[in-house]
């Protein structure tokens, strides 16, 4: 992801995917920074909102996690995505 973003730093989809991989490796600060950047440009990016909810929950910000999770549910691309996220929050 990092090499690709050097070539195409404006690719918000790849930034969100890279951030999700950072979440899984426990790099929450880096992930939050990328996710926030994505959402500034595209507030309707479901994956960025959903992963930001996860990051905030991991950092202990339950209120923020719930807020971001609820926003993500509103823009979920499928019923399945909505159901999974609903179980999380």
């Amino acid at each position: 992801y990092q090499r690709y973003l050097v070539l195409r730093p404006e690719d918000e989809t790849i930034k969100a995917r890279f951030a999700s991989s950072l979440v899984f490796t426990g790099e929450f600060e880096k992930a939050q920074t990328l996710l926030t950047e994505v959402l500034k440009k595209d507030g309707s990016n479901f994956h960025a909102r959903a992963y930001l909810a996860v990051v905030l929950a991991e950092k202990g910000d339950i209120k923020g996690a719930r807020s971001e999770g609820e926003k993500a549910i509103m823009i979920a691309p499928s019923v399945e995505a909505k159901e999974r996220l609903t179980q999380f929050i």
Side-chain angles (χ1 to χ4, degrees):
Y1 290 117
Q2 288 175 312
R3 284 191 274 184
Y4 179 81
L5 285 171
V6 169
L7 299 172
R8 299 197 185 240
E10 73 287 348
D11 191 329
E12 304 305 317
T13 300
I14 295 301
K15 278 185 189 177
R17 287 183 182 173
F18 179 41
S20 71
S21 69
L22 292 172
V23 170
F24 287 111
T25 61
E27 297 180 67
F28 302 118
E29 293 299 325
K30 288 181 184 178
Q32 186 172 1
T33 298
L34 281 175
L35 294 167
T36 301
E37 286 177 20
V38 170
L39 291 170
K40 282 181 183 175
K41 293 182 181 176
D42 180 9
S44 64
N45 186 308
F46 168 75
H47 294 98
R49 287 248 177 248
Y51 277 106
L52 184 56
V54 172
V55 167
L56 294 173
E58 288 292 335
K59 292 175 66 178
D61 182 358
I62 303 306
K63 185 177 178 180
R66 183 167 288 131
S67 175
E68 289 301 327
E70 289 170 355
K71 290 175 188 175
I73 286 170
M74 299 297 289
I75 58 174
S78 68
V79 172
E80 182 182 6
K82 188 178 282 191
E83 288 173 354
R84 283 186 184 174
L85 197 53
T86 299
Q87 291 174 359
F88 172 75
I89 63 166

